[in-house]
Amino acid sequence: MMANTKTITAPRLGRLDWWWHRVVASYWSLPLLGVLAAAPALIALLAVDRAGLSEWMLDEGFDPVATADTAKDLVAVAVGVNAAFITLYFSLTLLVLTVASSNLGVRLVDRWLDKRLVRVSLSGLSFTLIFSLCALAAIDAEADKDDLPVAVVAAVLFLQAVNVTMLTVALHDLGRTIFVDRSIHALGRDASAGPVSVVPGACETRDWAMRVSAPKEGYVEGNDLTLLRKWLGDGAGRVRICAPPGQHVLAGETLMQIENDVSARIAEAKLCHAMPVGDFRSDGQGAVFRIRLLVEIAARALSPAINDFYTALTCADRLGAAILAHRDNWVDDDCMPLFVDDRDFELPGQDFRGLFEDPLNAFRQAACQYPSVSIRMIDNYARISTIVCAKGQSGQFADFLRDLARQLSDHAAATATYDGDRHDIREAFARGFAHREG
């Protein structure tokens, strides 16, 4: 078996993984935990306070307030400040996401929801607000100083300081969210990873004894091949995964075919759990979603409403980097992609061509109206082809890149209305590929 040295970042695999992603990648899950944890945290601190913590603090000179009445007022102000903070941050978050998604693409929201800093900031603000409210209820303004929960007042002040610091960091991050190149860089970096490594195998005609169908209409989230192997055992023979991650399937459409019938020991519904079908495209699907999102951002940038070809140029560069990162997954036309770690799994559509052909054709259709973007992508194809040839990779791969560049050149030249633009487009293709023709 060939050694696989590439680090794989797989999409969400099993059904549990998919549900977990839907819960975690949200603006409510972590803040909800913060709200639920606030009251128990205060109760625990009050217990420690009554056990002697306040007395020790007063003995050591850690006295944050002069009287219980002052403590009550201080915590009341903290509650108001926290309410203002959380309102401000929610409002700015929604505003930034609205502006950024209108310029880049609404599907980026799924990635932004997964940003840990935003979720932690919202959780911290929610926790501090509820903690301060509970502290306000626990403080008696007419109590003697000895009966005042000094540790609770100090905790409220400490949480305020932490929240102010976190808020400035989080607002800085929100501001940078609408910096286009930063988002595209992160998307391109993630698009260069995974989904699985494949190796070429012989195309063989087989009689499939068992067929597993999609339980509902939607998009395939991923396929957990390790879990499938565990369930199927060694007696299943060849297994063909017919629907790659990100593909739309209809209810009853084939998800996988199995050479030997294993229905007597494992239910078809259970096998479907290793290939969950979601309701929409999402970042959890991995590279297949991210590559198409790069194309979507470029197409949106090239629309008359935005007309930002520099963003499209950046997307073209990130697509070039992703193409190069996935070059080891190329499989020639007369071969079948096989999972590198288990050659009994056939993965049609999960090789390089299946991952890139459709989105790169869509990129051509958007870029053809902008000569500068077309020329940049043709140059990128030529640079990648040079590396592919230098590494001694498949000649079909080099031909595939040349065909993409020629199609883009022909489409852009046919669309251009200025003779100089047509000349520059043709020249870009000749400069990169003419010496390799034939």
Side-chain angles (χ1 to χ4, degrees):
M1 184 178 293
M2 293 176 57
N4 178 26
T5 59
K6 189 165 72 171
T7 300
I8 301 300
T9 301
R12 306 289 168 179
L13 300 174
R15 187 175 296 275
L16 181 61
D17 248 353
W18 183 76
W19 280 109
W20 180 250
H21 175 66
R22 295 263 63 83
V23 171
V24 171
S26 68
Y27 282 167
W28 60 264
S29 58
L30 204 56
L32 177 61
L33 289 178
V35 169
L36 295 176
L42 178 70
I43 293 171
L45 185 57
L46 281 172
V48 175
D49 192 286
R50 295 191 183 99
L53 179 57
S54 288
E55 183 179 353
W56 175 83
M57 291 179 63
L58 292 174
D59 291 342
E60 295 295 326
F62 298 117
D63 189 0
V65 291
T67 64
D69 186 54
T70 303
K72 187 84 170 181
D73 292 341
L74 179 65
V75 175
V77 170
V79 170
V81 170
N82 278 309
F85 276 178
I86 199 169
T87 302
L88 171 67
Y89 192 60
F90 264 118
S91 300
L92 287 178
T93 299
L94 294 177
L95 177 62
V96 167
L97 292 187
T98 300
V99 173
S101 61
S102 64
N103 290 329
L104 297 178
V106 293
R107 290 175 182 84
L108 268 170
V109 172
D110 191 61
R111 289 174 55 83
W112 290 327
L113 288 175
D114 209 15
K115 290 182 68 172
R116 185 175 301 173
L117 180 60
V118 176
R119 291 184 285 118
V120 169
S121 299
L122 289 172
S123 177
L125 288 169
S126 302
F127 176 89
T128 304
L129 177 60
I130 302 303
F131 186 92
S132 300
L133 277 171
C134 294
L136 185 63
I139 295 174
D140 182 2
E142 298 179 357
D144 295 333
K145 187 63 177 292
D146 293 339
D147 297 327
L148 178 67
V150 177
V152 171
V153 178
V156 170
L157 290 174
F158 173 76
L159 289 174
Q160 283 295 111
V162 172
N163 266 347
V164 170
T165 303
M166 283 297 299
L167 187 63
T168 56
V169 174
L171 289 177
H172 171 75
D173 180 73
L174 278 178
R176 296 195 66 184
T177 296
I178 57 177
F179 178 46
V180 176
D181 288 0
R182 183 171 181 257
S183 296
I184 294 175
H185 165 73
L187 182 58
R189 177 197 62 215
D190 293 342
S192 297
V196 294
S197 286
V198 299
V199 292
C203 284
E204 303 176 6
T205 302
R206 295 179 182 273
D207 294 326
W208 303 102
M210 184 175 176
R211 171 178 172 271
V212 177
S213 305
K216 67 172 187 175
E217 174 270 339
Y219 296 90
V220 177
E221 292 291 326
N223 39 70
D224 192 339
L225 302 181
T226 303
L227 184 61
L228 272 177
R229 172 52 64 204
K230 178 181 177 182
W231 287 343
L232 293 173
D234 298 327
R238 276 291 178 103
V239 180
R240 176 173 292 176
I241 305 299
C242 302
Q247 179 173 313
H248 180 264
V249 293
L250 298 173
E253 194 169 354
T254 302
L255 288 179
M256 73 178 84
Q257 295 172 316
I258 305 173
E259 185 175 12
N260 300 321
D261 192 347
V262 296
S263 58
R265 57 186 176 85
I266 183 169
E268 179 179 330
K270 184 175 181 180
L271 294 175
C272 289
H273 290 173
M275 295 184 62
V277 177
D279 298 328
F280 47 83
R281 296 188 184 276
S282 69
D283 189 61
Q285 293 164 4
V288 64
F289 174 83
R290 295 156 189 167
I291 291 167
R292 283 160 173 76
L293 188 52
L294 280 172
V295 174
E296 179 185 338
I297 293 171
R300 183 183 289 265
L302 294 176
S303 66
I306 298 178
N307 197 26
D308 178 11
F309 70 92
Y310 280 113
T311 292
L313 290 174
T314 304
C315 291
D317 293 339
R318 297 304 174 190
L319 280 171
I323 290 171
L324 195 60
H326 289 276
R327 67 184 184 275
D328 292 334
N329 273 356
W330 174 266
V331 174
D332 285 347
D333 292 337
D334 56 347
C335 296
M336 171 66 70
L338 304 178
F339 183 37
V340 68
D341 293 331
D342 190 337
R343 307 297 174 85
D344 282 334
F345 281 108
E346 298 181 355
L347 305 176
Q350 297 193 49
D351 59 339
F352 181 94
R353 189 192 299 272
L355 193 60
F356 280 96
E357 187 169 29
D358 287 345
L360 290 179
N361 285 336
F363 184 87
R364 183 200 75 234
Q365 294 160 8
C368 67
Q369 301 182 49
Y370 282 74
S372 59
V373 180
S374 300
I375 290 170
R376 174 67 70 86
M377 198 62 192
I378 292 170
D379 287 341
N380 287 343
Y381 286 140
R383 293 158 60 198
I384 298 166
S385 182
T386 299
I387 296 174
V388 167
C389 292
K391 297 291 185 181
Q393 286 189 264
S394 168
Q396 286 191 22
F397 190 15
D399 292 342
F400 178 75
L401 294 171
R402 187 183 65 239
D403 289 343
L404 287 172
R406 181 190 291 112
Q407 292 166 10
L408 179 54
S409 172
D410 292 343
H411 199 164
T415 305
T417 57
Y418 175 56
D419 289 341
D421 289 339
R422 282 191 288 270
H423 173 270
D424 291 343
I425 294 167
R426 297 293 188 191
E427 180 64 25
F429 178 78
R431 182 172 60 248
F433 290 97
H435 64 286
R436 299 176 194 150
E437 290 290 290

